[in-house]
Amino acid sequence: MIIDAHTHVWPEKIAAKALAGRVPGMEAKFDGTVAGLKRSMDAAGIDHCVAFGIADHARHVERANEFISSQRSDWLTPFGTIHLDLSVEENMEILQRHGIKGVKLHPLFQRFRLDDRRLWALFDAFGSDIAVITHVGFGGQGSANENSTPQMIVDIARNFPKLRFMACHFGGFRRLDEAEKYVVGLPIVLETSWPPGLAEIPTERLRAIVHRHGPDRIIFGSDWPMVDPADEIEAIRRLALHPDDEAAILGGNLARILGMES
């Protein structure tokens, strides 16, 4: 089974607007709709995906969670959203009301830092019940790029050992030197997306990161609709890992995290 841990979708009527200029200097390759996601998955041979609904503002948290939870299916697991302008209790009530078991954080767009103690209070509330995946590294504008740094991951790993925590982009998008210094080897899960494509990173460097961190703690993610997931699957296969390790990264590890194992 191949599982994509990192996809973004929006309602059809707002997908184009939501994607327009969202990532500076990068254009989406696909349309950001649920139907478009399914077409890309089928073309790439992906069996299941995690899809994100992210609210940049607190006033959109309820609606974003309502939308993404409504897309739950045998091929899609929804990850919802929180915002620190809401209380811990408000965030938890919304997640529980919509049956959300995982959240995506994007501090660059949501305008909070990963070391914000309001976020840490939410991590306490999550315990091991709600999984967390977060953007780490560059990808925004100006000072927002310092909202989620590789160094911040160290304190989260130390203070929340029970949290099912996943760091996108190998723990530091466009900050791979820092990620290798601070994040690789921590007892957390790393996700592989690197738009516009993993081909930007030398294969030997990727292979070394996988072996150092441990293939049992790495999950495949594409960052659809910014990239073609078929290309990213091929990049993982070019690493020429042991077949068991490749299968674990492409789906087995995330199946375990999500409780999908039979």
Side-chain angles (χ1 to χ4, degrees):
M1 176 181 286
I2 298 179
I3 308 175
D4 191 337
H6 191 148
T7 72
H8 300 264
V9 293
W10 292 267
E12 288 193 15
K13 64 182 180 180
I14 68 167
K17 181 179 179 181
L19 277 171
R22 184 168 180 84
V23 181
M26 195 179 302
E27 294 295 325
K29 292 189 176 181
F30 300 95
D31 65 7
T33 67
V34 175
L37 172 60
K38 187 62 166 67
R39 288 192 294 270
S40 293
M41 288 176 58
D42 290 344
I46 296 171
D47 302 287
H48 197 89
C49 74
V50 173
F52 305 144
I54 303 173
D56 291 353
H57 303 281
R59 65 182 181 273
H60 297 148
V61 168
E62 176 76 49
R63 188 163 44 186
N65 281 308
E66 180 180 25
F67 164 71
I68 200 64
S69 66
S70 73
Q71 305 306 312
R72 184 182 287 108
S73 70
D74 59 354
W75 60 269
L76 185 154
T77 293
F79 266 37
T81 189
I82 56 88
H83 201 282
L84 298 191
D85 288 342
L86 301 177
S87 68
V88 170
E89 293 76 18
E90 288 172 311
N91 279 303
M92 292 299 292
E93 286 173 3
I94 293 171
L95 294 175
Q96 290 165 3
R97 181 158 56 250
H98 296 291
I100 299 291
K101 299 298 183 181
V103 300
K104 167 67 187 292
L105 306 177
H106 207 312
L108 279 62
F109 297 126
Q110 293 183 289
R111 299 174 182 83
F112 56 73
R113 290 169 56 93
L114 269 187
D115 58 5
D116 191 311
R117 290 312 189 259
R118 295 174 298 168
L119 181 60
W120 285 26
L122 263 174
F123 290 164
D124 272 329
F126 290 167
S128 61
D129 294 332
I130 295 180
V132 176
I133 188 167
T134 186
H135 175 91
V136 189
F138 292 134
Q141 295 181 322
S143 62
N145 282 310
E146 299 306 313
N147 284 354
S148 184
T149 68
Q151 294 94 318
M152 293 176 183
I153 304 301
V154 178
D155 286 336
I156 292 173
R158 180 184 300 122
N159 285 282
F160 301 96
K162 294 182 179 180
L163 185 67
R164 288 184 290 154
F165 187 81
M166 297 164 273
C168 295
H169 316 306
F170 288 102
F173 186 56
R174 309 284 187 213
R175 303 179 80 148
L176 197 54
D177 288 344
E178 294 172 66
E180 290 186 271
K181 179 178 180 179
Y182 295 107
V183 179
V184 175
L186 289 177
I188 63 168
V189 172
L190 299 183
E191 179 266 354
T192 67
S193 64
W194 197 271
L198 276 172
E200 287 194 345
I201 305 175
T203 298
E204 287 301 322
R205 187 175 189 181
L206 283 178
R207 188 182 294 115
I209 290 171
V210 169
H211 286 309
R212 182 179 159 208
H213 192 72
D216 60 321
R217 290 183 291 141
I218 295 177
I219 57 176
F220 165 71
S222 68
D223 208 347
W224 190 94
M226 307 310 296
V227 304
D228 187 336
D231 294 338
E232 305 311 279
I233 291 170
E234 181 58 31
I236 297 297
R237 289 178 169 154
R238 281 198 301 270
L239 299 179
L241 303 172
H242 187 282
D244 290 345
D245 293 338
E246 179 183 289
I249 291 170
L250 287 177
N253 294 334
L254 188 55
R256 183 181 68 249
I257 292 166
L258 298 179
M260 293 173 57
E261 296 174 311
S262 57

